[in-house]
Amino acid sequence: MLKSEFCMSRLKNQQMHRTLLPKISVLILICLFLVTVPAVGQAIPEGEIDVTKCWSYPIGEKGTGLISDGSRVFLGSTGANVEALSFDGKKMWSSELGGEISSNILPLDNSILLVTSSVSSNEEKSVGSVLRSLSKETGITNFTLKLPDAERHFLSGFKGSVIVISKNGVIQSIDTKSGGVKWKREIAEGFAGEPVFTVSKVLSATTGKQIFGISLVSGEIDSMRKVPYNVASLGETASGEIIVGDDRGNISSLIGSLEKPYWKFKTGGQISHIFAIGEYVLAASHDNFVYYFQSRNGDVTWKKRLSGRVLQVGNIMDRFALITSFDENGAVFTDLSNGKVAGRIAFGEGEIPVFQPSSFNGMIFVLTNRAAYAYSLNGCAAK
């Protein structure tokens, strides 16, 4: 019986027996208390998600990268230390490579690849960049290959090769088994921002305000676009629209050979992140806003203001944006369908995310300056 039904029944019963007025007043007060006080263990409010922390793995030094292949988790930290964790957060192996990790960690069928770089004594530039292939099972080195010295490198797998884009303007294809170079191209004086890899090409912006489309098969340039401002971030939709965010706060859609943007939107700060999600575009700006656009016309579906500048944004299962900012001690799940808060993750005092959140096989991974975390929206697997 519900609390309200119980109270009404008791009141009627008291009236039938002509209970004295003071007793009825006491009963009314008790009923009001029962109805207004929430029950212990009540359900999460409608529209919010139940975020469960499955495990945490402390790191001794600052984290520099985290990726999963769906069965293992690979963690990079200061000193080019690489660790492999089981999917339930248990350490499997570690390998200290020396220098610092200067690329993303790329898991392939039987190996992981990454680039390490030594830092010059004046700490102004990276020197001695080396591509390394490690065994997934043991962390033992399969091969190494000297790369052009660059501040940052970006890796992506393609048909038995790893495509390496170095920020000094060089792109090359390297055999993942032998470490042999298949082709190498010097495209520009330097690349800006993070490239976007598609099925058969890569989009990369240059420091000379150009955007190149480069074939992953041959390394040849198959398209080139000039843009008026420095590119800060890039994205490409499923229909082939190039979404460009620049340092002036503009977000532009470029289609085919059209000289002018198909649509353009102006924000109040540099565009730090762009994600193409189905028929929509998720973008973060240094104006402390996150925007969600319709890719076909640039109409804003929703926008969300944070208390400080956006620090990290992750696309979680194409359902949520997991957002952190400099002034908030935690991360917020934002429902992509309406822009509303759907859940939260709390961090410790002084703990901040240092890498983009990601999701694999239903697990959500977050890397902070203190630990790697795994969360789930569907409960944690039994250990």
Side-chain angles (χ1 to χ4, degrees):
M1 181 182 292
L2 296 176
K3 293 175 185 176
S4 58
E5 294 174 348
F6 168 79
C7 290
M8 291 301 298
S9 174
R10 294 292 296 168
L11 284 170
K12 289 180 180 179
N13 188 51
Q14 293 286 3
Q15 290 172 344
M16 288 177 63
H17 290 83
R18 298 184 179 179
T19 307
L20 295 177
L21 183 60
K23 290 186 179 181
I24 295 177
S25 301
V26 171
L27 182 59
I28 290 173
L29 291 174
I30 292 173
C31 289
L32 287 172
F33 176 80
L34 288 173
V35 171
T36 57
V37 174
V40 176
Q42 68 179 3
I44 293 174
E46 185 178 356
E48 293 195 12
I49 54 178
D50 186 6
V51 184
T52 304
K53 184 171 79 172
C54 298
W55 53 261
S56 63
Y57 185 84
I59 54 177
E61 300 288 344
K62 179 181 176 181
T64 57
L66 185 151
I67 192 72
S68 175
D69 64 356
S71 60
R72 297 180 182 87
V73 179
F74 301 98
L75 173 65
S77 57
T78 301
N81 186 49
V82 181
E83 296 179 271
L85 312 178
S86 62
F87 217 59
D88 59 359
K90 301 297 193 309
K91 182 177 177 178
M92 301 176 69
W93 55 258
S94 66
S95 182
E96 191 170 343
L97 303 174
E100 295 295 341
I101 297 174
S102 56
S103 75
N104 55 305
I105 300 173
L106 176 66
L108 298 176
D109 290 340
N110 300 308
S111 62
I112 62 169
L113 291 104
L114 68 153
V115 179
T116 62
S117 299
S118 300
V119 179
S120 61
S121 57
N122 59 16
E123 296 187 357
E124 291 183 355
K125 64 177 182 177
S126 297
V127 297
S129 297
V130 177
L131 174 68
R132 300 179 185 272
S133 170
L134 308 181
S135 166
K136 266 188 178 182
E137 299 298 327
T138 63
I140 294 174
T141 299
N142 296 320
F143 69 79
T144 62
L145 178 70
K146 181 74 171 63
L147 295 178
D149 295 333
E151 173 190 356
R152 188 72 182 169
H153 307 265
F154 303 95
L155 311 180
S156 183
F158 177 72
K159 296 183 178 180
S161 302
V162 55
I163 307 299
V164 183
I165 292 185
S166 303
K167 288 203 75 172
N168 63 354
V170 176
I171 176 172
Q172 51 192 317
S173 174
I174 298 164
D175 188 280
T176 56
K177 292 183 178 179
S178 67
V181 177
K182 293 184 175 180
W183 52 257
K184 181 178 180 179
R185 305 283 185 267
E186 294 185 15
I187 302 295
E189 292 185 0
F191 288 126
E194 188 170 342
V196 176
F197 291 92
T198 65
V199 175
S200 60
K201 69 176 180 179
V202 59
L203 294 172
S204 192
T206 74
T207 53
K209 301 177 184 177
Q210 296 173 311
I211 300 173
F212 287 102
I214 305 164
S215 168
L216 299 181
V217 175
S218 63
E220 299 297 329
I221 297 172
D222 62 18
S223 66
M224 190 275 287
R225 295 289 298 258
K226 292 184 178 181
V227 289
Y229 305 116
N230 294 317
V231 176
S233 52
L234 280 176
E236 185 178 46
T237 68
S239 58
E241 298 170 57
I242 301 173
I243 309 298
V244 183
D246 63 39
D247 62 348
R248 303 292 184 90
N250 300 300
I251 300 174
S252 306
S253 171
L254 306 180
I255 297 180
S257 59
L258 292 178
E259 183 176 344
K260 294 183 178 180
Y262 184 65
W263 57 259
K264 187 175 181 180
F265 183 86
K266 175 69 173 177
T267 74
Q270 177 175 308
I271 308 303
S272 58
H273 301 80
I274 286 180
F275 299 89
I277 305 173
E279 298 178 354
Y280 295 87
V281 175
L282 178 70
S285 169
H286 283 179
D287 63 3
N288 301 355
F289 275 92
V290 175
Y291 300 87
Y292 200 54
F293 300 89
Q294 296 183 46
S295 63
R296 69 178 183 274
N297 54 21
D299 286 351
V300 177
T301 301
W302 55 261
K303 63 180 182 179
K304 180 180 181 63
R305 184 175 185 176
L306 284 82
S307 60
R309 180 173 292 183
V310 175
L311 181 60
Q312 300 287 348
V313 181
N315 172 20
I316 306 300
M317 307 171 194
D318 288 351
R319 293 175 54 201
F320 306 101
L322 186 54
I323 307 169
T324 60
S325 72
F326 283 100
D327 294 342
E328 294 184 7
N329 189 35
V332 176
F333 284 89
T334 300
D335 191 325
L336 291 177
S337 66
N338 54 29
K340 294 182 179 180
V341 173
R344 297 179 184 272
I345 293 174
F347 298 134
E349 187 68 27
E351 190 172 13
I352 58 173
V354 295
F355 198 71
Q356 180 177 301
S358 56
S359 59
F360 304 89
N361 278 8
M363 298 287 281
I364 300 164
F365 298 99
V366 177
L367 179 62
T368 74
N369 56 334
R370 295 180 183 173
Y373 296 94
Y375 300 89
S376 176
L377 306 182
N378 302 308
C380 305
K383 299 184 179 180

